[in-house]
Amino acid sequence: MILIATVEWGRAGSVKIARWLVPVIAVGVVTPLSIGIGTLLLGSDDSEAAGGDVPASVGTELKAGDVGVPVMYAKLIRDAADDCDDKLLTAPVLAAQLKRESNFNARARSLAADEPSDDGGSLTDPRSAEQRAEDGNAGGKPAEEGLSGDEPASASGSEDASPGGELPDVAQAERPVTRGIAQFTDADWAAEGVDGNNDGVKDVLDPADAIPAQGKKMCALLRTAKERPGYRGTPLELALAGYRLGWRTVEEYGGLPRASGADGETYDYVKAVMKSYPKMVVPVGGVSGGWTLPVDGPAGTPYHQRGSSWSTGLHTGVDFVVPTGTPVKAIGPGEVVTAGPGGDYGDQVVIRHEDGTFSQYAHLSEVKAVVGQSVQGGTLIGWSGETGNASGPHLHFEVRTGPAFGSDLSPVPYLRAKGLIL
């Protein structure tokens, strides 16, 4: 969780953590992960969906920031996926689902059928303007292509199901209001809400509760979907539809709703999630390497913070407030040019990147990298600490035009250009 702290500034970008005061909210941060990205993309047929082999895992990490997943939610999403034993439920799937449900707005609320639209605040259609445009401004017909729902229906696993049938329009109109980052109805939250941060409260508006509940619900829906091999749609498509509609409605359809019916909006929702979840990751170790934040932790002292404790009068990097022993990762592909003692910076690593810039990681408790080593984004190079001129554990991080002190650049726009947001 994020904690408010009183601080004192040290030299060479160090920070003293004087004392912690009060908890504010539990959040998560970006971490590397290994996930299996399935081949159950748009256009897969029912035979592939039912009992097909899960592809081998590919090394990936969630794409961070406004181009992907907000940093504060990434660890919650990863943990929610890890808690499910079904390999089809991955962090990118949950992330794409949250983006579609609420655009990562923890206060989002869907509109009731008789409620006027207002495009502001939290009482609004949770989709972003871009998402509404993709859906035809909520009034156009959803796209017809792309999901296995377009395939002819096979025999349903339920006697009461009517494959290919559509429910009356009233089914859409009477759908209850949903709330929070994961868009639970009040009834669903009462039955399925969890206390994810162990604060004694199950709060649908707290992502630390809502995201684990989302993962738990999706995991259960996937198990149910795999027990219905005759339904129209892949297990993941069926689970997404069940999350949106409720499983009972999926049974009445005999699978995924078709595009041209009362629940064409659900078809469009499933289509959008299936199309976008592969885009929620940054590949690691490929030709371009991939980029990541250096540690899993909140940013503290910003770049160019003024203070007499620094020799230049300005803080030359960004501090990440993390405990000793936190894994420190190379932010991107490059070559290690410094690995060891660095004076006031303590044990440090400096990496030269392919574009000629350098990144520095200081006050490490232990250095793993060696000079001359080639690294990729996410490569472990050491562990955070408080060596050198530091009176509290943290990571001091710099971006430079050269390998030495005094050539610093603002890390924020540099990282933003790599798709990473502090």
Side-chain angles (χ1 to χ4, degrees):
M1 62 176 64
I2 290 178
L3 301 174
I4 296 176
T6 58
V7 299
E8 301 174 19
W9 309 113
R11 296 174 58 199
S14 63
V15 58
K16 295 180 180 179
I17 308 299
R19 63 180 183 276
W20 296 111
L21 295 181
V22 293
V24 178
I25 184 173
V27 299
V29 291
V30 171
T31 58
L33 56 134
S34 292
I35 58 171
I37 295 185
T39 56
L40 303 178
L41 302 179
L42 307 179
S44 59
D45 63 29
D46 293 344
S47 62
E48 291 174 341
D53 293 335
V54 177
S57 295
V58 178
T60 60
E61 65 183 57
L62 285 173
K63 187 179 294 182
D66 54 7
V67 296
V69 180
V71 172
M72 69 178 107
Y73 300 141
K75 186 175 186 300
L76 290 171
I77 294 169
R78 183 206 62 183
D79 289 347
D82 288 346
D83 285 342
C84 180
D85 57 6
D86 194 309
K87 292 181 179 180
L88 289 180
L89 188 63
T90 64
V93 168
L94 293 178
Q97 188 181 11
L98 288 173
K99 186 173 180 64
R100 198 70 191 177
E101 289 284 359
S102 66
N103 203 29
F104 298 108
N105 179 1
R107 298 277 171 178
R109 196 193 78 173
S110 65
L111 291 171
D114 59 351
E115 191 171 358
S117 175
D118 67 14
D119 283 328
S122 62
L123 304 182
T124 182
D125 184 335
R127 293 173 299 166
S128 66
E130 179 183 355
Q131 290 165 346
R132 282 189 299 236
E134 290 176 0
D135 292 346
N137 294 320
K141 294 182 179 180
E144 293 286 336
E145 78 284 358
L147 286 177
S148 58
D150 291 331
E151 300 294 328
S154 56
S156 169
S158 169
E159 293 181 1
D160 298 330
S162 54
E166 297 300 339
L167 299 183
D169 288 343
V170 70
Q172 183 88 335
E174 293 180 351
R175 193 162 301 148
V177 171
T178 54
R179 298 188 298 150
I181 194 170
Q183 291 292 285
F184 278 89
T185 66
D186 289 345
D188 281 347
W189 185 254
E192 301 170 349
V194 301
D195 179 14
N197 57 356
N198 298 313
D199 64 355
V201 179
K202 298 179 182 179
D203 185 356
V204 71
L205 299 182
D206 186 348
D209 294 341
I211 292 174
Q214 172 209 11
K216 180 181 177 182
K217 181 175 181 178
M218 279 293 294
C219 192
L221 285 167
L222 272 170
R223 287 194 295 267
T224 301
K226 287 185 173 181
E227 295 171 356
R228 307 293 195 275
Y231 277 25
R232 182 178 59 253
T234 69
L236 186 53
E237 290 170 357
L238 293 173
L240 289 167
Y243 190 95
R244 189 76 163 183
L245 289 172
W247 186 256
R248 183 174 180 180
T249 307
V250 173
E251 286 188 332
E252 291 175 345
Y253 282 128
L256 187 71
R258 294 195 183 277
S260 57
D263 273 307
E265 178 272 339
T266 295
Y267 172 96
D268 194 61
Y269 162 83
V270 175
K271 172 179 178 289
V273 174
M274 295 293 289
K275 182 178 180 181
S276 64
Y277 84 79
K279 302 176 183 178
M280 303 302 290
V281 298
V282 176
V284 174
V287 175
S288 61
W291 294 81
T292 183
L293 293 174
V295 289
D296 308 334
T301 312
Y303 180 68
H304 272 194
Q305 170 79 46
R306 294 186 178 275
S308 59
S309 298
W310 300 299
S311 59
T312 62
L314 297 170
H315 188 228
T316 53
V318 170
D319 286 345
F320 289 86
V321 184
V322 291
T324 296
T326 300
V328 177
K329 304 160 288 185
I331 62 167
E335 180 182 347
V336 176
V337 297
T338 300
D344 284 349
Y345 285 115
D347 288 337
Q348 65 168 342
V349 171
V350 178
I351 297 171
R352 177 174 56 80
H353 299 287
E354 295 171 344
D355 60 2
T357 58
F358 295 76
S359 58
Q360 182 225 20
Y361 315 75
H363 305 305
L364 303 180
S365 61
E366 184 178 349
V367 173
K368 177 178 175 60
V370 295
V371 173
Q373 177 184 352
S374 294
V375 296
Q376 301 289 344
T379 299
L380 178 67
I381 57 174
W383 291 267
S384 65
E386 51 183 317
T387 57
N389 187 18
S391 42
H394 69 286
L395 174 71
H396 176 80
F397 171 77
E398 291 187 18
V399 175
R400 299 169 170 177
T401 60
F405 171 79
S407 61
D408 50 279
L409 297 170
S410 176
V412 174
Y414 181 89
L415 293 173
R416 186 180 295 273
K418 309 298 184 185
L420 304 169
I421 310 299
L422 295 183

